[in-house]
Amino acid sequence: MRKAERHELIRRLVRSQTFERQDQLVSAIEEKAGKKITQATISRDLKEMHLVKVRLKDGGFAYQYSLNDFSIDETRLSRLLKRNIESLAIQDTLVMIKVVPGTGEVIGNLLEAMEFEEVFGVLVNDAKIMLFIKDDFNGQELVVKIRELL
């Protein structure tokens, strides 16, 4: 399993479930991926992804993104957009971003990690990013936020 695939799987699992220990996360990843993964690999992934163990209100623990992760992602996203955006277009509840080939996946993943409240889903390929806007939101609001990053 490639690192990017593993990170995406970890991201989905951490958002949908509570894991108090790394071994629980390792088991969940192995079950979903159908492959063995070492705990050392997952430990490195958690550090790279800025996931930290936090105490919950009920006294338990869970892995969550660190509080300053948003600013880290925003800075990186801004830098990548400035260097790689080719066009930005909107149609109703769809926003299409064309980027330099080879950067679509990275920029798309960062946009998704930003968790903009307007975004229902993100679809990416090598050179394009399609943002699907939630029904209750205007795509123009998101375009303004993206342009502010440029």
Side-chain angles (χ1 to χ4, degrees):
M1 173 176 265
R2 291 184 349 206
K3 183 186 217 178
E5 294 169 335
R6 200 172 55 246
H7 281 202
E8 180 58 30
L9 179 56
I10 291 169
R11 196 174 289 112
R12 284 193 318 242
L13 287 169
V14 167
R15 287 183 179 154
S16 65
Q17 299 176 42
T18 301
F19 298 96
E20 290 195 2
R21 299 182 322 270
Q22 277 187 18
D23 64 314
Q24 294 171 323
L25 182 57
V26 169
S27 296
I29 293 167
E30 288 176 342
E31 183 179 320
K32 293 279 186 186
K35 296 180 179 181
K36 285 284 187 189
I37 306 285
T38 66
Q39 190 163 346
T41 297
I42 299 306
S43 181
R44 281 190 301 273
D45 288 344
L46 294 174
K47 286 178 186 172
E48 288 175 16
M49 296 172 68
H50 305 284
L51 283 162
V52 294
K53 191 185 258 189
V54 297
R55 183 177 291 278
L56 302 174
K57 291 179 182 178
D58 67 359
F61 292 92
Y63 285 96
Q64 294 181 356
Y65 287 96
S66 64
L67 294 176
N68 62 358
D69 191 53
F70 179 83
S71 62
I72 291 169
D73 280 348
E74 185 175 23
T75 301
R76 183 172 179 210
L77 177 60
S78 178
R79 186 179 71 246
L80 286 170
L81 282 172
K82 286 175 186 174
R83 292 180 184 166
N84 298 292
I85 194 165
E86 292 182 343
S87 69
L88 178 63
I90 182 171
Q91 182 175 340
D92 298 323
T93 59
L94 300 173
V95 175
M96 170 70 79
I97 304 171
K98 292 183 181 179
V99 293
V100 173
T103 63
E105 203 169 312
V106 172
I107 294 171
N109 286 336
L110 283 171
L111 282 165
E112 189 170 33
M114 295 290 288
E115 296 183 348
F116 289 110
E117 64 180 340
E118 299 90 347
V119 176
F120 171 75
V122 180
L123 186 63
V124 302
N125 72 15
D126 189 54
K128 294 179 187 137
I129 303 153
M130 178 67 74
L131 302 169
F132 298 87
I133 308 303
K134 293 178 185 173
D135 288 339
D136 297 339
F137 291 92
N138 178 338
Q140 192 62 42
E141 297 167 2
L142 181 61
V143 169
V144 168
K145 287 181 182 180
I146 293 170
R147 285 196 172 123
E148 287 174 354
L149 293 170
L150 297 175

